Amino acid sequence: MKIPADLPGADLVAAGIEALKRGEPTVEALLVSVGSSRMRAAGLDIPAPPPLAHTPEMELYLAVGAEHPGDAHSRYNALIRRLVSFERALERQAHAPVP
């Protein structure tokens, strides 16, 4: 399934999938890793993440903290909210009746 560009957060997910394909643990790749199970269940092909020292959630928080040391908590939460919005929209679209 192709990533629907009109879904909220699709830009982050697309960038994350591309980074995962290259084996790069970017913030976007880690975000996709956090939501990989749910996105796979909705029909997206999500590459496996590179080996991580911690859970994807912890790795994401550490990566966000490295980029924004004074604002890691709120930026992490904002990313998770965008991920959840994307997942919900993707699930609605995947389960919508075909006209």
Side-chain angles (χ1 to χ4, degrees):
M1 166 191 267
K2 187 177 179 204
I3 300 168
D6 61 333
L7 298 184
D11 55 332
L12 289 172
V13 172
I17 289 173
E18 289 305 313
L20 285 174
K21 287 179 182 177
R22 294 187 304 271
E24 298 173 0
T26 64
V27 166
E28 295 85 2
L30 294 167
L31 184 66
V32 169
S33 296
V34 169
S36 63
S37 296
R38 199 167 166 186
M39 289 188 280
R40 281 187 189 109
L44 284 184
D45 183 27
I46 307 295
L52 303 173
H54 305 285
T55 65
E57 293 84 356
M58 178 57 75
E59 293 285 343
L60 175 61
Y61 188 83
L62 293 171
V64 170
E67 289 183 8
H68 306 280
D71 199 19
H73 186 74
S74 62
R75 288 183 182 263
Y76 173 86
N77 285 335
L79 287 169
I80 295 298
R81 283 192 300 273
R82 286 188 68 191
L83 173 64
V84 170
S85 292
F86 177 83
E87 291 170 333
R88 287 177 180 165
L90 180 66
E91 290 167 345
R92 278 193 302 273
Q93 195 172 67
H95 295 90
V98 177

